[in-house]
């Protein structure tokens, strides 16, 4: 499995990013070890409330992998469903988040749970990606499964 920014949309990239999504569910010590062993990335976990995202890098790439919803039978899963997924009313983001999403158009509305979850981890994740990009410019890959997929989409949109 490998990433190659020059040949987009290939099965190796899909497998690599899928594996990053899978590893995003792991606790910090095991996650760091597996991101290194399986994907060749040095990684950090950013976790605020019930939002978790690993940000990993090597000399060629930066990968941002959001954890998806946990099983609703666990405490984290209950929080995902109650605090993030179920808060599905649409809002116009305010403050800096609103400014960043203004490109969506006047009055565009977003899922409030997803906006809130991304807002929880945005600053440390963005700062880490920015730090690594300033050291060596390279492609940034953003991925996630389930709830993490929604956060990855919003993150990619906001980073542009």
């Amino acid at each position: 499995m490998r990433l190659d920014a020059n040949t987009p949309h290939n099965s190796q990239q899909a497998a690599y990013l899928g594996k990053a999504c899978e590893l995003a569910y792991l606790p910090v010590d095991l996650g760091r070890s597996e991101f290194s062993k399986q994907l060749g990335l040095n990684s950090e976990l950013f976790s605020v409330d019930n939002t978790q995202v690993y940000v990993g890098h090597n000399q060629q790439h930066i990968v941002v992998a959001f954890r998806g919803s946990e099983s609703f039978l666990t405490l984290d899963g209950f929080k995902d469903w109650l605090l993030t997924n179920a808060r599905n009313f649409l809002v116009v983001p305010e403050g800096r988040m609103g400014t960043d999403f203004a490109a969506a158009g006047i009055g565009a509305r977003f899922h409030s749970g997803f906006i809130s979850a991304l807002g929880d981890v945005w600053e440390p994740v963005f700062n880490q990606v920015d730090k690594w990009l300033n050291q060596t410019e390279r492609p940034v890959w953003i991925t996630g499964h389930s709830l993490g997929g929604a956060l990855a989409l919003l993150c990619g949109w906001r980073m542009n």
Side-chain angles (χ1 to χ4, degrees):
M1 293 184 303
R2 64 184 182 84
L3 294 172
D4 182 359
N6 296 317
T7 56
H9 312 296
N10 69 50
S11 60
Q12 284 191 23
Q13 288 172 183
Y16 188 100
L17 295 172
K19 180 55 75 174
C21 291
E22 180 184 332
L23 298 177
Y25 285 87
L26 296 176
V28 64
D29 291 335
L30 183 57
R32 282 184 183 153
S33 171
E34 292 303 308
F35 267 86
S36 177
K37 185 168 96 178
Q38 295 188 42
L39 301 178
L41 298 173
N42 296 317
S43 66
E44 292 191 38
L45 173 66
F46 295 91
S47 180
V48 178
D49 291 333
N50 66 313
T51 305
Q52 289 84 35
V53 55
Y54 276 93
V55 181
H57 75 108
N58 58 26
Q59 289 301 312
Q60 295 79 35
H61 306 281
I62 297 171
V63 175
V64 179
F66 287 90
R67 178 188 58 82
S69 301
E70 293 279 358
S71 166
F72 62 89
L73 299 175
T74 67
L75 180 57
D76 277 344
F78 182 71
K79 287 180 184 178
D80 288 341
W81 288 99
L82 183 64
L83 300 177
T84 305
N85 300 346
R87 291 180 54 202
N88 64 356
F89 50 93
L90 300 177
V91 297
V92 176
E94 297 178 352
R96 175 67 195 266
M97 187 79 82
T99 302
D100 290 348
F101 282 102
I106 304 279
R109 298 181 185 280
F110 298 87
H111 184 288
S112 63
F114 299 160
I115 288 290
S116 177
L118 180 61
D120 287 344
V121 295
W122 177 257
E123 190 171 327
V125 167
F126 180 81
N127 289 342
Q128 188 63 60
V129 170
D130 190 51
K131 174 184 156 189
W132 288 337
L133 280 174
N134 285 329
Q135 290 173 358
T136 305
E137 191 169 321
R138 54 209 137 158
V140 177
W141 302 81
I142 305 170
T143 190
H145 167 258
S146 182
L147 164 61
L151 298 178
L153 178 67
L154 289 173
C155 180
W157 195 354
R158 191 166 184 205
M159 280 194 177
N160 284 326

